[in-house]
Amino acid sequence: MSALSDTAGIAPGPQKRMKSRVWAKFRRNPSALLGAVLVAFFVCVALLAPVLPVPGPLETDWLAVRKPPSAAHPFGTDEIGRDVLSRMIWGAQASLMAGVVSVFIALLLGIPLGVAAGYRRGWTDAAISRVTEALLAAPFLILAIALAAFLGPSLTNAMIAIGLSAMPAFIRLARGQTLSVMTEDYVESARAIGLTDLAIIRRYILPNIFPPLLVQATLTVATAIIAEASLSFLGLGQQPPAPSWGSMLNIAKNFLEQAPWMAMWPGIAIFLVVLGFNLLGDGLRDALDPRET
Amino acid sequence: MLGFLARRILIAIPTVILISVFVFTLQKLLPGDPVLAMAGEERDPEVLAFLREKYRLNDPLYMQYFHWIGGVLQGDLGISLRTRQPVLTLIGEKLPVTIQLAVMALIIAVFIGVPTGILSAYRKGTWIDWLANIVALSGLSIPNFWLGIMLILLVSVNLGWLPASGYAPLSEDPLRSIQTMIMPAFVLGTGLAATLMRHTRSAMLGVLKSDYVRTARAKGLNERVVILKHALRNALVPIVTVATLLFGELLAGAVLTEQIFTIPGFGKLVVDAVFNRDYAVVQGIVLCTAVAFIAMNILADAAYRILNPRMRDT
């Protein structure tokens, strides 16, 4: 059952109390706070990229090719003398955008389909469920690679490919949660007083299926960031010379002996931001779970 | 059990048909003309027309699908447009390599994940539990291709202990084979170990609270016997099912791991096929992977019923 199902249709007072209880539980969880701090840090870095005092990510300096970290270039330079720190900062934009946009695509398509399957049941449910099972049968990354190859290599297409590959998990979750909420008395009452299907979905179903979807979305952002880095690493995501952590690693693997720092920083950044989203997702799950005290 | 298996297989058939339609349609929509890729430098219209006719690329799409699926049902997944070898032969050549990698990765994952999960559950709420959880979450957060690159840098480039790439078949040179595979298997195994650790911890926490564990302790049994014989045996039910379901993750992880360590397996085959627009190979690989994944799901359900007597009557 959804974490908030017992709050639907109740007065704003108890709902406010529940929100503050969730926030209090979240605040008491050091791992969740660490996750939130990590995510906030990378979001700030990505947003502030244009105003940070670093060279442009495409600026080359042929006198500083593959230079190790120094005061002038704290993270070193790459194979054509570009500042690695600058490319890392601008790469954060690509990675975070890929994570968030692809999950948004998955939610945008997955929620309506999942709710329709759970609410309508019958043939609608059977058809949507079979298609979902078929999509879930192909491993996430293999499906994303196949879709990215079909759409053509670019960051936008990688986001679409990842979003479509992540969509089945959201359809299944939204369907399951809808089926669960549908058994509640308040949905029966809403039907009895003659509310339309759309009104019931908007007022009762969507607010109650939101918490587990939020947790799943946060955890999927982590998966999507790794998937984007993987696709860019394979040459199917962000295209050079535009910076992305995955494509930086793809180039860096050719200079491991001469310039190991080129490979080190992008990996650490991916690890930290993914860890941040995983910790945040776990923290949200614990905070929204009414059984956890 | 036979009835259960038959039911599960029947339910899986529409899913497999849908996958085949999806895979076929997707590959047909890929950019680029496969005939041009196949012909190479040759641009003679007659040759191109001959190739289109030979591979039935002039037929309507649905006819191409029926032709393709008819062949698939007889074990004919088509011919690779690039190497001109049957797709099934290509997959058959590459699969043992990836299976070796996957088995080694799974062994490493079980050896790391299960004991850590037990320890974490047994010491719930202590610093050991906290540390194990952080390590597991880190394992899930590290991109395995980056871990591979860092290990190559440390173990191969700096220390010179293991080869950075290459492959030797297990049957021809077992020592060399293990030397080349141990590092990729570790890279692939760490993420799975984290997943296994979390499931083991969760399963053990449930079991450790149960009455029979309390009874075993009340009887004065040695704590090790209680944990390993009474608790773990019951906790193994969900762990075994999860391990079976990790198959999909193993295959997906193998794609990148094989690229980094230049292992000529299934994963490398899929990437090469995508970049060469080798439709038939991509179709065959995605279809085989999906069917194998469904089969593993059915096996996981069957294993769950075998291991859990309460499920047998349902």
Side-chain angles (χ1 to χ4, degrees), chain B residues 117-138:
Chain B
I118 295 172
L119 192 66
S120 179
Y122 189 64
R123 300 276 182 209
K124 190 192 174 215
T126 64
W127 67 269
I128 295 178
D129 182 27
W130 182 81
L131 188 71
N133 272 305
I134 287 287
V135 171
L137 210 53
S138 303

Side-chain angles (χ1 to χ4, degrees), chain A residues 15-36:
Chain A
Q15 236 174 15
K16 205 179 258 179
R17 272 205 299 279
M18 201 215 63
K19 274 183 192 165
S20 60
R21 198 186 64 222
V22 167
W23 171 234
K25 270 163 78 177
F26 185 82
R27 254 186 344 194
R28 280 202 306 270
N29 184 343
S31 308
L33 285 180
L34 175 65

